[in-house]
Amino acid sequence: MAGELTMSPVMQDALVILGAAGIIIPVFARFRITPIIGFILIGVLVGPFGLGTLVDEIPWLRFVTISDPERLRPFADFGIILLLFAIGLELSFNRLWQLRKLVFGLGSLELLIIGSASAVFFAYYSGMSGTAALALGFALAFSSTAIVLPISGTRSPVGRAALSMLLFEDIMIVPIIFILGALAPYAQSDGLGGLFTTIWQGGLVILLMLVFGRVALPRLFSQAARTKSPELFLAASLLVVIGASLATAATGLSPIVGALIAGLLIAETEYHGEVESIMEPFKGLALGIFLITIGMSIDIMTIIADWTTIAIAVVGVLVFKSIVTGALLRMMGARKSTAAETGVLMASPSETTLIVLAAATSALVIDTETAQFWQIVTAIGLTITPLLARLGRVIARRVDGAPELPEDDEDEARTIIVGGGRVGRLVADMLVTHNQPYVMLDSDPDIIDRAKRDGYRAIFGDAARGDALTRLGIESAPAVVLTMDEPVLAQRLVAKLRKEHPDLLIVARARDTDHAAALYRAGASHAVPETLESSLQLSEAVLVDIGVAMGPVIASIHEKRDEFRARLEREGGLSQKPKLRASNVASDG
């Protein structure tokens, strides 16, 4: 019929995803439930095993359901690529080099022990062939990069341990899949030969990316920045991440390897902050689609029909992986709390488990019925990972026995101190001296444990991620004080806070006057350059002790501050002179 409006299946799926996310995710946020669970439940609801089963009886439901999950697969894969790209932006080659012992020591032991032990169990107690047992054992040994890292971050002890194991697992995806192909009943003789070809070709591509990326990327983003066009900057960012992913995929390596390297290269440039902020919405939405596809694979009726066996399998996998991972971390010197929390967090199988199971099934290594059973177990494990993260934090607190402080009045307006080191403690002491309530936030559980033992009101959380500051009552907080010795993170956090809370008093620690100027441009109310203040205090002490009168010394100190105010105004392009407050700022320990 002429003029009839038709909607393509892709547009219909997009409407369902955006509509469901727009309704359900805010409800979850209101009750402070992680959106990860929300996206998975959306998948269960709108998928072929949810409302999709009623489409034949209620035809209009086809407009609010997704009948073919495979249509979403490219977008879900893109979400994982963007996640690894974002991880690369948060890292640097120096930091990655510092993690090498954890990646190839802890990471290799974790994968090898869990995979081998699981394979032995399946071979002896489940009657599987040796090849099938190896495939299933190593498939279940993987943990979810897409879910774990957004929860743990990469800077806390738990985050560093999780990142190290997950990076090694991501490296091992391709070799394991190639080996499965070589061990298949009807494998071609070039199976392992293909692996070696992939390794040398992939290595060459990575080397070329490292060499040319260091030269080309700064120039590319410099030209994009000069145009002052956000669209062009976004296009350049997408070009880099997609191009790098395709380059490694063309050699047989996983595309996430290319995405990670692209992020690492951009992290070495001054444009990484802008790239990270402009890509964040795309990463969040694409990851949401990935989680929806996980939910769509969960068949509620199958779970109900065989719930006992499935429950035993889920609990068995979680307990075994938790024990092995925690024990390995303890052997490598981690604190009990870190080992316990990381072990529980890493216990679930992974989205990679689904990939390995699919590869093993196509190679006739694992039969279809067995693969489907473990796919359900994996989907359930992914769904409950956020709950495991909470359980891990509870166990970590009990293991180390940090003393519980009296409960705060959550409605009381409190100054929020971000950073629990020496500087953060000094600020807290001064607030207590003047009867001002406060709460201290840090992403390092060791710092939080020590602070609690010393009587400080300290809470674990990452101010740069999620709703940590919202939970602490930032809407009513009289001020936020940033004391951490991480210049880039401080600048990003100031910009984020100023955008979300235009009237908030933000006091930030700065390394030097240049950093102070950057903080003021980002929106800080006050910045304290530690190098300037320590120099002025040294000068004051020397002048007074050699006999100069206190009055002229204090006057000259104020004059020198005025000079630096003028300098910050001139060099920073500020509309008014910033306020430099004297402070006994010491190195944060």
Side-chain angles (χ1 to χ4, degrees):
M1 179 178 179
E4 182 179 356
L5 180 63
T6 60
M7 182 179 294
S8 69
V10 174
M11 290 295 293
Q12 183 175 315
D13 292 347
L15 182 63
V16 172
I17 291 170
L18 295 175
I23 296 171
I24 295 177
I25 298 304
V27 173
F28 274 68
R30 181 176 181 83
F31 292 99
R32 296 181 179 180
I33 301 175
T34 173
I36 292 174
I37 296 178
F39 278 117
I40 292 177
L41 291 182
I42 289 173
V44 174
L45 181 66
V46 304
F49 301 116
L51 292 178
T53 59
L54 304 175
V55 168
D56 292 337
E57 301 174 16
I58 310 174
W60 63 265
L61 283 178
R62 72 176 184 273
F63 295 108
V64 294
T65 57
I66 300 174
S67 58
D68 183 10
E70 289 303 315
R71 285 201 298 262
L72 301 181
R73 185 64 57 188
F75 302 101
D77 293 341
F78 189 51
I80 300 175
I81 287 173
L82 290 182
L83 173 65
L84 268 294
F85 178 65
I87 292 170
L89 288 175
E90 293 182 6
L91 293 172
S92 65
F93 284 106
N94 288 336
R95 188 169 173 225
L96 198 59
W97 179 252
Q98 293 171 358
L99 290 172
R100 66 189 185 280
K101 291 183 180 179
L102 283 175
V103 173
F104 294 100
L106 174 63
S108 60
L109 285 174
E110 184 251 359
L111 186 64
L112 181 63
I113 292 175
I114 292 177
S116 301
S118 300
V120 170
F121 174 83
F122 290 129
Y124 279 92
Y125 294 98
S126 299
M128 289 186 179
S129 66
T131 303
L134 277 173
L136 181 56
F138 278 93
L140 295 174
F142 286 93
S143 300
S144 176
T145 301
I147 297 180
V148 168
L149 287 183
I151 294 173
S152 69
T154 61
R155 297 187 176 276
S156 67
V158 172
R160 287 192 294 270
L163 174 64
S164 302
M165 290 181 279
L166 292 169
L167 282 177
F168 185 81
E169 291 175 6
D170 290 337
I171 293 171
M172 291 302 296
I173 293 173
V174 173
I176 286 176
I177 290 177
F178 266 101
I179 291 171
L180 286 178
L183 295 177
Y186 305 104
Q188 299 298 319
S189 59
D190 63 346
L192 292 178
L195 173 61
F196 294 125
T197 300
T198 296
I199 290 174
W200 79 260
Q201 289 182 349
L204 179 61
V205 167
I206 290 173
L207 179 62
L208 292 175
M209 289 170 60
L210 293 175
V211 172
F212 290 104
R214 289 181 179 273
V215 177
L217 290 182
R219 297 181 179 180
L220 172 65
F221 286 104
S222 175
Q223 292 299 321
R226 286 194 180 97
T227 65
K228 300 186 182 301
S229 169
E231 294 81 5
L232 186 58
F233 208 92
L234 173 61
S237 303
L238 290 173
L239 172 65
V240 171
V241 65
I242 295 175
S245 301
L246 290 176
T248 53
T251 66
L253 292 178
S254 172
I256 63 177
V257 175
L260 178 65
I261 292 173
L264 287 168
L265 287 169
I266 295 176
E268 303 291 328
T269 72
E270 62 269 32
Y271 304 103
H272 63 91
E274 182 65 21
V275 173
E276 185 175 9
S277 63
I278 206 168
M279 296 293 286
E280 183 66 26
F282 293 91
K283 183 193 78 174
L285 182 58
L287 270 178
I289 294 175
F290 162 74
L291 295 171
I292 288 174
T293 62
I294 295 297
M296 294 173 68
S297 67
I298 298 176
D299 187 346
I300 301 296
M301 299 309 297
T302 300
I303 295 174
I304 294 174
D306 197 17
W307 71 270
T308 305
T309 307
I310 292 174
I312 293 173
V314 171
V315 172
V317 170
L318 297 182
V319 171
F320 176 66
K321 291 183 68 177
S322 297
I323 293 173
V324 172
T325 303
L328 287 173
L329 281 165
R330 285 293 290 158
M331 288 172 57
M332 299 191 75
R335 289 172 58 91
K336 291 181 181 179
S337 57
T338 300
E341 184 177 349
T342 308
V344 175
L345 178 63
M346 296 283 289
S348 290
S350 165
E351 62 277 359
T352 306
T353 303
L354 302 175
I355 297 173
V356 176
L357 287 175
T361 304
S362 63
L364 303 180
V365 173
I366 296 178
D367 63 84
T368 303
E369 184 178 352
T370 300
Q372 288 176 345
F373 174 85
W374 289 104
Q375 284 169 353
I376 292 174
V377 171
T378 300
I380 294 173
L382 289 169
T383 303
I384 65 175
T385 299
L387 303 179
L388 293 176
R390 291 192 175 189
L391 175 62
R393 286 193 286 269
V394 171
I395 294 175
R397 286 195 295 269
R398 292 181 178 273
V399 163
D400 270 358
E404 293 293 331
L405 295 173
E407 290 294 326
D408 272 340
D409 180 1
E410 294 188 359
D411 295 330
E412 182 182 30
R414 305 173 294 180
T415 296
I416 300 175
I417 303 171
V418 181
R422 187 179 303 173
V423 177
R425 288 185 173 211
L426 178 59
V427 174
D429 290 339
M430 295 304 297
L431 289 169
V432 170
T433 299
H434 295 278
N435 299 316
Q436 297 297 312
Y438 76 91
V439 62
M440 184 185 295
L441 183 72
D442 202 292
S443 60
D444 188 332
D446 296 337
I447 289 178
I448 293 299
D449 288 344
R450 288 194 296 269
K452 282 186 173 182
R453 288 193 177 96
D454 293 339
Y456 292 92
R457 190 157 310 278
I459 293 177
F460 174 82
D462 190 343
R465 307 180 74 88
D467 60 347
L469 293 176
T470 302
R471 293 197 304 270
L472 295 181
I474 192 173
E475 296 293 342
S476 60
V480 171
V481 185
L482 308 182
T483 68
M484 62 280 200
D485 186 19
E486 297 184 60
V488 175
L489 178 61
Q491 189 174 337
R492 293 181 190 172
L493 191 52
V494 166
K496 176 184 176 183
L497 290 173
R498 181 56 65 211
K499 180 179 179 181
E500 297 176 353
H501 307 280
D503 300 326
L504 179 66
L505 173 62
I506 305 172
V507 183
R509 171 188 182 184
R511 278 192 175 176
D512 49 35
T513 53
D514 291 336
H515 185 216
L519 289 171
Y520 280 120
R521 286 194 296 270
S525 308
H526 306 294
V528 181
E530 55 190 53
T531 53
L532 169 62
E533 291 301 331
S534 60
S535 300
L536 293 176
Q537 290 169 29
L538 284 170
S539 303
E540 179 183 345
V542 170
L543 289 169
V544 171
D545 285 347
I546 64 175
V548 180
M550 179 67 76
V553 170
I554 293 177
S556 64
I557 293 294
H558 284 296
E559 289 176 4
K560 185 59 67 175
R561 281 204 186 94
D562 287 338
E563 290 181 17
F564 278 101
R565 287 194 187 98
R567 175 183 168 186
L568 289 178
E569 180 183 20
R570 183 176 63 254
E571 295 181 359
L574 304 174
S575 59
Q576 60 183 7
K577 286 184 175 66
K579 296 179 181 179
L580 292 172
R581 291 187 168 182
S583 176
N584 294 322
V585 178
S587 176
D588 198 3

